[in-house]
Amino acid sequence: MKNRGNQQAQALTGEIVEALALAVPPASPRDPAALRDRVLARARADRARFVTVRTSDGHWRMLAPGVAMKMLHDDGAMQSFLLRLDAGASLPAHDHAVDELCVVLEGSVRLGDIEVSRGDYHLAVAGSRHGRVVSPEGAVLFLRTRSDEHATR
C-alpha cells in the first residue's frame, strides 16, 4: 500500500503537473503598488540586525586641512562616524543643537578648555558650545549624534 501511494505521487510530478501549471492563468495582484510596498517593508524588517564596518571598509572624506571623517552608519535618525585629526589639526568653535557623544580611540584632543585622551568619553549636550577643537599630537574620535547635526560641516 505504501508503494501504491508513492506511484501516485510520482505520476503527478511529470506531465500532469506541467499541464496543470499551464492551465492556470497567471495571477496578477489587485494593487501592484500595495504589493510592492508590502514586499519592500518586509525586506526592510528582515534586514540584518547588525552593522559591521571593517577597518578597510568605507572611505575618509576631508572636512578641513588635516581633518577627515569616515561615516560608519546613518539610519536617517542617528549617525555614527569616525573623525581623524592629524597632529596640529583643528576645527573652529561650534554649537551643538542636539546631544553628541564622543569616545577618544587614539591620541588626545582639546575641546575648548576640556582635554580628553584615549579611552575618555565626552558628551556635548544640546545647547552647548565647544571652543576650538585642537589635536596637538593627532587623534581618532568616535562620534554619535542626530543624522542632520553635521550635514553642513
Side-chain angles (χ1 to χ4, degrees):
M1 197 147 202
K2 206 177 205 183
N3 192 10
R4 184 176 172 102
N6 240 359
Q7 287 173 347
Q8 286 177 346
Q10 288 175 356
L12 291 178
T13 60
E15 293 176 8
I16 295 173
V17 171
E18 186 177 341
L20 287 171
L22 292 172
V24 176
S28 297
R30 290 189 180 142
D31 186 354
L35 176 61
R36 178 183 176 275
D37 290 345
R38 283 196 321 268
V39 169
L40 290 175
R42 179 122 188 222
R44 282 190 290 273
D46 288 344
R47 71 182 178 151
R49 301 289 190 241
F50 302 97
V51 175
T52 301
V53 180
R54 305 281 180 205
T55 300
S56 60
D57 293 345
H59 67 279
W60 290 91
R61 180 174 57 106
M62 296 304 294
L63 295 180
V67 181
M69 174 183 171
K70 179 179 179 179
M71 185 62 63
L72 301 173
H73 183 66
D74 188 339
D75 65 5
M78 297 294 290
Q79 63 182 350
S80 300
F81 60 94
L82 298 176
L83 193 66
R84 182 179 64 210
L85 294 97
D86 294 340
S90 67
L91 290 170
H94 57 277
D95 297 317
H96 288 277
V98 299
D99 289 356
E100 177 183 88
L101 72 81
C102 171
V103 176
V104 181
L105 302 177
E106 296 176 9
S108 66
V109 65
R110 281 195 317 270
L111 307 160
D113 58 352
I114 300 167
E115 184 165 347
V116 289
S117 57
R118 183 178 181 179
D120 289 346
Y121 170 85
H122 176 76
L123 176 66
V125 296
S128 64
R129 178 169 178 79
H130 273 139
R132 188 167 167 249
V133 177
V134 181
S135 182
E137 64 182 66
V140 176
L141 312 175
F142 168 82
L143 293 111
R144 181 156 171 84
T145 190
R146 193 173 69 192
S147 288
D148 60 352
E149 175 69 356
H150 293 286
T152 58
R153 281 195 206 162

